[in-house]
Amino acid sequence: IGGTFSLGCLIGMRTLFTMLIHEIPHEMTDFAILLKSGLTRSEATFAQLLTGSFAISSSLITRISPIDINVR
């Protein structure tokens, strides 16, 4: 997602929207699996927030990285 924002705001927003539509059911399923595997609600929530924070931080790092890639 961070990489597409470097191509332009519009393509970045489209990618963000598409990924959100994909990820919401995916995260709900992951949460249910964590609950079924024996985690408490708070443990499952923490695990989901932890993995989500890694995804957001990696996108931010990609966005602010000084590498310039010319796409043609």
Side-chain angles (χ1 to χ4, degrees):
I1 296 172
T4 58
F5 273 101
S6 65
L7 298 174
C9 187
L10 182 60
I11 193 168
M13 292 303 287
R14 286 181 180 168
T15 304
L16 176 64
F17 178 73
T18 302
M19 292 304 295
L20 285 175
I21 296 300
H22 166 78
E23 284 299 320
I24 290 171
H26 181 89
E27 295 301 324
M28 291 171 62
T29 304
D30 287 350
F31 188 76
I33 291 170
L34 290 171
L35 291 177
K36 285 289 185 182
S37 67
L39 270 65
T40 65
R41 281 174 109 46
S42 60
E43 291 170 335
T45 300
F46 178 74
Q48 291 295 91
L49 290 173
L50 186 64
T51 58
S53 66
F54 285 131
I56 290 170
S57 62
S58 64
S59 292
L60 291 173
I61 290 169
T62 302
R63 178 65 180 120
I64 64 173
S65 70
I67 299 172
D68 183 24
I69 300 173
N70 293 322
V71 177
R72 295 176 192 192

